[in-house]
Amino acid sequence: MLIVLLIVLVSETPIIIKASLAALTMAFSIPSIRKLMFKDKCRKMKAALYSSLTFTLGLFLISIFEEPSSILSGDHLSLLMAVLFYSLLGNFIYGLPASLMAEVISIRFFTIRTWLSGFIHIAFGLITYFIMPGLFIPAIICAILFFALDEIINVYPSNT
C-alpha cells in the first residue's frame, strides 16, 4: 500500500486525482470498508465496471444514429476508448467511494433505503458540477447507471 501511495504522490497527476487515489488506497486499510467493498462477490466493483461499459455502449449507440458513416473510423474508436477509460476512472475513483458512503448511510434507514441510496448517488453526480462543470451531465448519467446496476446486482446476485 505504501508503494502505491508513493507512486501516486510523486506522479504528475492533478492534485484532486492524487487525493482521491490516496484516499481510496488508504480506505482499503479500514476493515469495514474492505468488507463492504468485497461484499456479495465484489458487487460494488462489478457495478462500477458495468456502468462504465453501459455508458460507453450508450454513447456508441447514440453516435451510430448521428453519424452512421464514421462508426469504424480511427478517430471515433479512439474517442470511445477515451470515454471508456475516463468513465472507468471516474466510477472507480469517485463513484465507488460515493456508493460505499451511500450504502453505509442508507443501510440505517431500512424503509427508505433504496430511495435514499439513489438520492445520494445522484447528489454525488451533481457535486461534480463544482469540481468539473463540463462533466456533470455524464457524471449524473453514470451515477444513475451505477445505482441502478448496483441495485439489480443486489436483488439478482449471480451464481458465480
Side-chain angles (χ1 to χ4, degrees):
M1 184 165 59
L2 290 173
I3 293 172
V4 172
L5 282 174
L6 181 66
I7 291 170
V8 167
L9 293 175
V10 299
S11 70
E12 294 183 17
T13 309
I15 190 70
I16 193 155
I17 294 176
K18 280 184 181 181
S20 299
L21 284 172
L24 188 63
T25 303
M26 290 187 299
F28 278 107
S29 66
I30 302 169
S32 60
I33 290 178
R34 245 191 345 256
K35 183 180 174 184
L36 272 176
M37 184 76 73
F38 297 112
K39 181 176 138 183
D40 299 330
K41 299 179 183 174
C42 301
R43 182 189 78 189
K44 295 285 184 188
M45 289 189 278
K46 287 178 186 176
L49 174 67
Y50 296 159
S51 62
S52 295
L53 291 172
T54 304
F55 179 71
T56 305
L57 181 64
L59 282 180
F60 177 72
L61 293 175
I62 288 171
S63 68
I64 287 176
F65 294 112
E66 288 184 0
E67 294 182 43
S69 61
S70 69
I71 298 215
L72 296 177
S73 71
D75 293 338
H76 190 75
L77 292 175
S78 61
L79 179 65
L80 284 173
M81 293 305 289
V83 167
L84 177 62
F85 173 75
Y86 285 111
S87 65
L88 281 169
L89 192 66
N91 277 325
F92 276 92
I93 290 177
Y94 185 69
L96 198 56
S99 184
L100 288 170
M101 189 180 305
E103 181 144 341
V104 167
I105 293 169
S106 67
I107 202 91
R108 293 183 172 97
F109 302 95
F110 183 74
T111 56
I112 59 168
R113 187 201 66 79
T114 304
W115 290 101
L116 183 60
S117 180
F119 175 77
I120 293 170
H121 278 83
I122 294 170
F124 271 99
L126 288 170
I127 290 171
T128 307
Y129 176 77
F130 301 106
I131 299 169
M132 297 177 130
L135 294 178
F136 90 99
I137 299 283
I140 292 170
I141 294 169
C142 282
I144 292 169
L145 286 171
F146 195 119
F147 166 71
L149 290 168
D150 186 35
E151 288 298 315
I152 290 169
I153 293 170
N154 189 25
V155 172
Y156 304 107
S158 65
N159 293 331
T160 58

